[in-house]
Amino acid sequence: MSIHSWLKTLPTDLLLSAIPLRFSLRGYGFCMATLFFFCFGSLFYQLNGGPPKILLDIRQYLGKSTYLDDHGPPAPRVLPFPSQVVYNRVGKCGSRTVVILLRLLAEKHQFNLVSSDIHNKTRLTKHEQVDLMKNISNIPQPFLYTRHVHFLNFTRFRIEQPVYINIIRDPINRFLSNYFFRRFGDWRGEQNHLIRTPGMKDDERYLDINVCILENYPECSNPRVFYIIPYFCGQHPQCREPGVWALERAKQNVQENYLLVGILEELEDVLLLLERLLPHYFTGVLNIYKSPDYKKMGNMTGTVRKHTPTLEALQVLYHRMRYEYDFYNFIRDQFHLMKKKIGLKSVSQPPAHSPAFLRELALRTPEPLDEDEELDTDLEDANSWLVHS
């Protein structure tokens, strides 16, 4: 009997049950061969410092597609907007108060706070500008960078521009705070400050502020009192020259690059606006600011031995700071407009000085008054023209 004849005599069910057995053995053999092939390839890869040629040939045959080609890149981390904030803080405008708040907020909201310890280098060379901007851009986001530095134009060097924020105050009040802080420090005590400023001679330390202003000492004259505007005008040399060009450039930069510029006289409203505009940084800031524990720290930033110059000296100083006051009034108006848009009631405080009155007097006193020159008008005490802070 032939095999074909014998197969015909077998039951159909028996034949069908044998077919899967043959295919199962083949599959098993194929799997084992594949496993051996890849194990051998892996071993060869490690021994020779690279994949075997056969694997490269297979990859070339199959194409050079990768996981990223087939599935796309992984979903990026969702960052708040804006995630890059720069606070180029103006000296003696409440910046130490705000930095204390930022340290507490950074821990609470998990953003990167980088506060520079460089205080006396606000103007940079072109190379220093680029280096600083690159360093800022490399901070892991979200971040808030703060330093005493004049405005940096990132886009000029084709670097992504961060969002700016800042706070200013009445120019004469800022000047007085700085004048006495340099000499006598703050809550840490006058003796402690004397130790920290050994290079200052007594003649300079105890120089009467009225003499400094009226006798045209460099510290009390331009360009030294032209202080706030350069922080917003930028790094251009002309930004340090008192005049209309620097003033208008500063205003333009505020409108184009600053999310908010507040005024220290209305600090609580500044913090409230920051909480609204940058919630991922400033949520809860007002509660912290009003807390008893923070009040203890906040009281440590006040300048000591600060007193008011005579009205005669204030008039001269106001004239020297006329561009600073133009800018301050512009910022004050912009701030109140922002409050109105947000829906905050503006509890507007009167200006620290009466612009019309002092401007009129300034026109009559273009140069510092002589020591023996007396004012013609009986004026009220100068303290009424200052807002103490």
Side-chain angles (χ1 to χ4, degrees):
M1 181 182 293
S2 67
I3 294 177
H4 291 287
S5 301
W6 180 74
L7 289 173
K8 289 180 181 179
T9 62
L10 293 175
T12 306
D13 294 342
L14 183 61
L15 287 172
L16 293 175
S17 63
I19 294 173
L21 180 62
R22 292 175 59 193
F23 278 101
S24 296
L25 291 173
R26 283 184 182 179
Y28 177 76
F30 179 77
C31 288
M32 292 301 294
T34 303
L35 181 61
F36 173 78
F37 173 76
F38 281 105
C39 288
F40 178 77
S42 177
L43 178 63
F44 201 79
Y45 183 97
Q46 296 180 46
L47 291 175
N48 292 277
K53 186 175 184 302
I54 186 172
L55 292 182
L56 294 174
D57 293 339
I58 291 174
R59 179 175 179 182
Q60 186 170 2
Y61 174 76
L62 294 175
K64 294 185 178 180
S65 66
T66 64
Y67 179 87
L68 291 178
D69 295 329
D70 297 334
H71 300 85
R77 177 189 173 193
V78 178
L79 292 170
F81 180 81
S83 59
Q84 303 177 73
V85 180
V86 172
Y87 170 31
N88 64 319
R89 58 188 192 268
V90 180
K92 305 310 296 176
C93 289
S95 60
R96 282 192 295 164
T97 298
V98 177
V99 168
I100 293 173
L101 289 170
L102 284 171
R103 287 173 181 163
L104 299 172
L105 291 167
E107 184 177 350
K108 179 180 179 181
H109 297 309
Q110 298 298 301
F111 63 85
N112 292 303
L113 173 65
V114 179
S115 181
S116 174
D117 293 328
I118 301 173
H119 302 290
N120 299 318
K121 192 171 179 59
T122 57
R123 303 188 294 269
L124 309 176
T125 66
K126 187 177 293 186
H127 292 298
E128 289 172 336
Q129 292 178 53
V130 173
D131 288 343
L132 177 57
M133 288 185 285
K134 286 182 178 179
N135 289 336
I136 292 173
S137 299
N138 288 331
I139 300 172
Q141 301 179 29
F143 71 77
L144 192 150
Y145 177 83
T146 176
R147 172 179 166 174
H148 292 296
V149 64
H150 294 170
F151 174 78
L152 297 165
N153 189 347
F154 285 66
T155 54
R156 179 189 172 197
F157 299 96
R158 298 183 180 179
I159 302 174
E160 183 180 358
Q161 183 86 346
V163 165
Y164 276 87
I165 59 172
N166 218 323
I167 300 173
I168 66 171
R169 72 191 292 188
D170 176 89
I172 288 180
N173 278 333
R174 193 219 67 81
F175 167 79
L176 296 178
S177 181
N178 184 67
Y179 185 90
F180 292 106
F181 177 77
R182 285 188 65 246
R183 287 159 171 79
F184 308 112
D186 52 19
W187 64 276
R188 287 167 285 195
E190 182 177 338
Q191 290 303 318
N192 185 28
H193 191 73
L194 295 179
I195 295 172
R196 291 190 295 115
T197 55
M200 183 178 288
K201 297 179 180 178
D202 285 349
D203 289 346
E204 180 184 1
R205 190 182 304 278
Y206 296 104
L207 174 65
D208 183 271
I209 190 169
N210 297 296
V211 174
C212 181
I213 295 170
L214 297 177
E215 294 190 9
N216 212 13
Y217 278 66
E219 183 178 359
C220 300
S221 305
N222 282 313
R224 294 278 291 276
V225 298
F226 188 71
Y227 184 86
I228 298 175
I229 287 176
Y231 272 88
F232 300 87
C233 179
Q235 298 290 334
H236 194 285
Q238 202 169 342
C239 287
R240 302 188 289 275
E241 298 176 9
V244 175
W245 188 92
L247 170 65
E248 294 305 320
R249 178 80 166 262
K251 290 180 180 179
Q252 181 181 353
N253 281 335
V254 167
Q255 292 177 321
E256 294 179 355
N257 298 288
Y258 283 80
L259 181 65
L260 178 69
V261 181
I263 54 175
L264 186 62
E265 291 81 1
E266 300 176 35
L267 181 58
E268 286 194 14
D269 286 347
V270 176
L271 298 177
L272 186 56
L273 279 181
L274 287 171
E275 192 170 13
R276 297 277 186 90
L277 297 172
L278 296 170
H280 43 285
Y281 293 95
F282 287 95
T283 293
V285 65
L286 210 51
N287 292 333
I288 297 174
Y289 178 71
K290 291 182 176 181
S291 67
D293 290 339
Y294 175 78
K295 288 295 183 185
K296 293 178 183 177
M297 291 187 290
N299 290 335
M300 297 177 179
T301 63
T303 301
V304 298
R305 291 189 60 163
K306 183 169 64 175
H307 63 270
T308 305
T310 65
L311 189 58
E312 178 185 10
L314 286 176
Q315 295 158 10
V316 174
L317 197 56
Y318 183 88
H319 173 66
R320 293 175 187 167
M321 292 183 167
R322 59 191 180 278
Y323 295 113
E324 295 272 280
Y325 270 99
D326 189 314
F327 183 73
Y328 173 77
N329 292 330
F330 166 78
I331 293 298
R332 192 168 179 270
D333 291 343
Q334 292 289 312
F335 179 67
H336 288 162
L337 182 61
M338 174 77 74
K339 287 168 62 174
K340 186 175 181 181
K341 289 180 178 178
I342 296 292
L344 295 178
K345 280 190 175 181
S346 178
V347 183
S348 179
Q349 299 182 6
H353 309 275
S354 170
F357 171 78
L358 287 176
R359 190 178 301 117
E360 180 183 349
L361 287 173
L363 291 174
R364 299 205 301 265
T365 57
E367 298 298 330
L369 298 172
D370 295 331
E371 286 185 346
D372 57 351
E373 183 177 348
E374 297 182 357
L375 291 173
D376 298 327
T377 311
D378 185 19
L379 301 170
E380 59 186 291
D381 186 76
N383 285 305
S384 64
W385 297 92
L386 285 177
V387 175
H388 295 286
S389 58

